[in-house]
Amino acid sequence: MYIDEPLHTLDIVIDEDTDNAILRANKNEFLGRGTKEYILSYRNETLSNRGYIVPEDWDYEWNVHLGPVWTPDVLGSTKVVSWISPEYLKLKTGSTTLLAQASDRSGNDNHFDGPTGKEPSLSTTKLNYMSGIDFDGSDDFMWSEDGDYGKWFEPGTGDFVVAFVINTGTDQNNTPIIAAMGGGGVGADEWSVQIINSSSDANYTHTCDNDVNTQAGWAASQNAILVVSRTSGTNDIRLNGTSLGTATTADAVTDNTGRGIYIGCFLNSGNTAEDHHWDGIMYEALWVDASQTTAEIQKIEGYLAHKFKLTGNLPAAHSYKSDPPRRDVV
């Protein structure tokens, strides 16, 4: 197999008469032959080696008593309105580094594009062998290529959850935007997740309309699971499985400026140029346009933590500190 080639199936074919077996990948790639005991040990070594991409719903321990790992597709495409992840990044034609698109795996075709000349890069820094979207903090970004300028995320006064796996770099000036709809939450009806960094504070900020929820928690070069949400008019911001604090956000969230949804910056007040560029890597992002309980949000956090080997970030009391969420038990 090739380095970073996706592993879809791993089969053992056993001849019970001779006690010999073969191991093959993706149905037709022969990996090894030997006794059943040797092939079983070879299978375990293959899984732990990780010289390729193992699907996120695999059970690495081969515990047949557990169902597959829970992933956000369980929520359905009516709730998950956009979902980008390492497996769905597309390089620009002719480039080995620049990203043309972060495709939406929710099934809604709410993709993010890298504008010509301002495309972010495929990160060379990986989390659990997976690359992310690398923003340089200068001029690159991605935006929703939806024909309605990202109106697929307009919860109004309703509930929503947006989750990220990110690593923020050291070059953070002028309140950089991680993601935003409209002008970045600085005016009516707008939404943003950004960083306030000055000599007196270094905070993640979640803004809905003019209601700002700013809490300490940001640190340079920190791998982080960041989840922002609104439930019954209460805004929350969670860092690595722990709430940093809440604020009232009862006003509507709609893109009345027509600026759309951006990752890595926002369009300035004159709608003429991108501004507040973010220096960092985004490995995964998930927009859920529906109410989610704390227990359901913890499932999202558990999925992300185990997928990217960030379980050490979760508090000891987190429901999925040790084991990932499961779809069901059989």
Side-chain angles (χ1 to χ4, degrees):
M1 295 184 68
Y2 298 101
I3 297 298
D4 288 337
E5 178 183 351
L7 180 65
H8 302 295
T9 61
L10 188 62
D11 303 319
I12 297 177
V13 182
I14 301 174
D15 184 342
E16 296 292 352
D17 293 331
T18 64
D19 201 37
N20 288 326
I22 63 172
L23 183 67
R24 65 184 184 185
N26 298 340
K27 299 299 184 183
N28 58 12
E29 296 181 43
F30 177 78
L31 297 184
R33 182 192 305 273
T35 65
K36 180 170 65 176
E37 289 75 14
Y38 168 75
I39 290 301
L40 286 172
S41 65
Y42 189 5
R43 176 186 67 178
N44 292 337
E45 180 183 347
T46 300
L47 283 176
S48 60
N49 182 8
R50 301 302 306 279
Y52 41 77
I53 301 172
V54 177
E56 61 201 23
D57 61 348
W58 275 43
D59 181 0
Y60 302 139
E61 302 301 325
W62 288 75
N63 187 335
V64 296
H65 299 292
L66 293 174
V69 172
W70 182 96
T71 62
D73 66 281
V74 173
L75 299 175
S77 59
T78 57
K79 292 183 178 180
V80 179
V81 291
S82 187
W83 177 11
I84 61 177
S85 64
E87 304 91 337
Y88 287 73
L89 301 179
K90 294 183 179 180
L91 289 171
K92 182 179 181 180
T93 301
S95 176
T96 59
T97 58
L98 298 179
L99 289 170
Q101 187 179 84
S103 300
D104 173 22
R105 62 182 293 184
S106 75
N108 291 309
D109 293 331
N110 293 324
H111 313 299
F112 283 85
D113 284 346
T116 301
K118 297 184 178 181
E119 301 95 339
S121 300
L122 188 71
S123 73
T124 56
T125 302
K126 298 184 178 183
L127 270 182
N128 199 17
Y129 300 91
M130 290 175 281
S131 296
I133 308 168
D134 195 343
F135 299 91
D136 64 8
S138 175
D139 63 353
D140 54 13
F141 64 95
M142 302 193 97
W143 58 359
S144 172
E145 58 110 41
D146 176 82
D148 289 329
Y149 301 101
K151 292 184 181 297
W152 46 263
F153 181 64
E154 285 195 319
T157 58
D159 300 343
F160 62 87
V161 178
V162 184
F164 307 96
V165 175
I166 57 174
N167 183 298
T168 294
T170 57
D171 183 16
Q172 302 303 327
N173 298 298
N174 196 24
T175 57
I177 293 289
I178 297 171
M181 181 186 69
V186 295
D189 301 337
E190 296 168 345
W191 167 85
S192 74
V193 182
Q194 61 193 100
I195 294 171
I196 293 178
N197 184 26
S198 68
S199 58
S200 60
D201 55 24
N203 302 340
Y204 285 116
T205 302
H206 179 207
T207 304
C208 295
D209 192 69
N210 288 313
D211 299 316
V212 180
N213 183 199
T214 303
Q215 299 293 333
W218 172 74
S221 304
Q222 174 193 58
N223 291 321
I225 300 170
L226 185 64
V227 180
V228 298
S229 63
R230 182 172 64 184
T231 304
S232 300
T234 298
N235 186 38
D236 192 15
I237 181 167
R238 294 171 62 89
L239 178 64
N240 294 323
T242 300
S243 175
L244 298 179
T246 60
T248 300
T249 59
D251 296 332
V253 175
T254 57
D255 183 17
N256 63 5
T257 63
R259 296 174 188 165
I261 299 177
Y262 282 62
I263 299 176
C265 77
F266 69 73
L267 197 62
N268 67 16
S269 58
N271 286 14
T272 57
E274 300 77 37
D275 204 354
H276 294 254
H277 287 274
W278 177 58
D279 169 29
I281 302 171
M282 183 174 293
Y283 293 94
E284 190 140 347
L286 179 74
W287 279 261
V288 181
D289 191 4
S291 174
Q292 296 286 283
T293 65
T294 299
E296 291 168 330
I297 290 174
Q298 283 195 330
K299 280 189 176 181
I300 295 173
E301 293 168 337
Y303 152 73
L304 294 172
H306 284 271
K307 177 175 181 178
F308 291 98
K309 287 193 174 181
L310 295 176
T311 55
N313 290 26
L314 299 179
H318 196 280
S319 299
Y320 304 105
K321 173 73 171 179
S322 300
D323 298 303
R326 298 283 177 175
R327 293 176 187 260
D328 49 35
V329 178
V330 296

